[in-house]
Amino acid sequence: MEQVGTVDRVAVERVPAERAERALPADRISLTGLRVRGWHGVLPAERELGQEFVIDVTLWLDTAPAAAADDVTRTVHYGELAEALARVVGGEPVDLLETLAARLADVCLADSRVERAEVTVHKPAAPIPLAFGDVTVTITRDQDAATAARPRATAGTVADLDRG
């Protein structure tokens, strides 16, 4: 895959020893190509006119309990996840794709079963006066870091986030 966007900042995160010894689940759920209109950007025209953003997320979690019980309540419901992500993209505007990606990662990690989330925000209509294919920002966040960084009323599911 050709990289068409770059991030000008790189964060280095120290992984706690207890986390380093624990392997991530091999199971993943991915939602790709979610298209939502949003009003994000630093230019006034971006805030006024809006544009389409495309969101890709990958979640690492253990899907064995859901598979064994054939029960959607034991996994992340990707339909509910898509709706929650769309509300963020269509909601309060931010200047930076990095900020939008972090907010989307928070939605993904609201379900305590999710160990890690990778979020890519595409801005295919970015205001660049040259021909280009896409601009993206990709971030990866872990549950341990997310839990330490913010207090939670509940460590529930995406549905809990919607009710909260």
Side-chain angles (χ1 to χ4, degrees):
M1 177 179 280
E2 181 181 345
Q3 181 178 348
V4 294
T6 60
V7 178
D8 59 13
R9 287 180 266 157
V10 176
V12 177
E13 186 175 324
R14 186 173 299 242
V15 178
E18 63 275 6
R19 172 72 177 150
E21 295 171 7
R22 215 173 46 193
L24 282 173
D27 304 342
R28 294 185 304 266
I29 294 175
S30 294
L31 172 66
T32 61
L34 178 65
R35 298 177 183 283
V36 183
R37 186 162 193 79
W39 290 263
H40 310 287
V42 296
L43 300 179
E46 293 178 291
R47 297 293 182 101
E48 289 175 31
L49 302 173
Q51 61 190 289
E52 183 178 73
F53 292 83
V54 182
I55 308 303
D56 301 329
V57 299
T58 299
L59 312 178
W60 280 259
L61 69 155
D62 182 3
T63 63
D70 196 27
D71 182 358
V72 71
T73 66
R74 294 185 176 199
T75 189
V76 172
H77 187 299
Y78 48 80
E80 292 175 359
L81 175 64
E83 291 173 2
L85 295 170
R87 280 191 292 279
V88 172
V89 175
E92 180 185 351
V94 297
D95 288 343
L96 300 179
L97 294 179
E98 292 85 345
T99 306
L100 181 57
R103 289 181 177 181
L104 295 170
D106 286 344
V107 169
C108 295
L109 293 169
D111 188 316
S112 62
R113 295 171 295 199
V114 176
E115 291 283 330
R116 174 177 283 170
E118 180 180 86
V119 176
T120 300
V121 177
H122 300 258
K123 191 174 181 179
I128 298 173
L130 301 166
F132 70 98
D134 197 4
V135 172
T136 66
V137 170
T138 301
I139 65 168
T140 304
R141 298 292 184 265
D142 288 331
Q143 187 63 253
D144 293 344
T147 302
R150 67 184 187 290
R152 289 193 196 163
T154 64
T157 65
V158 170
D160 292 334
L161 180 68
D162 293 341
R163 289 189 292 270

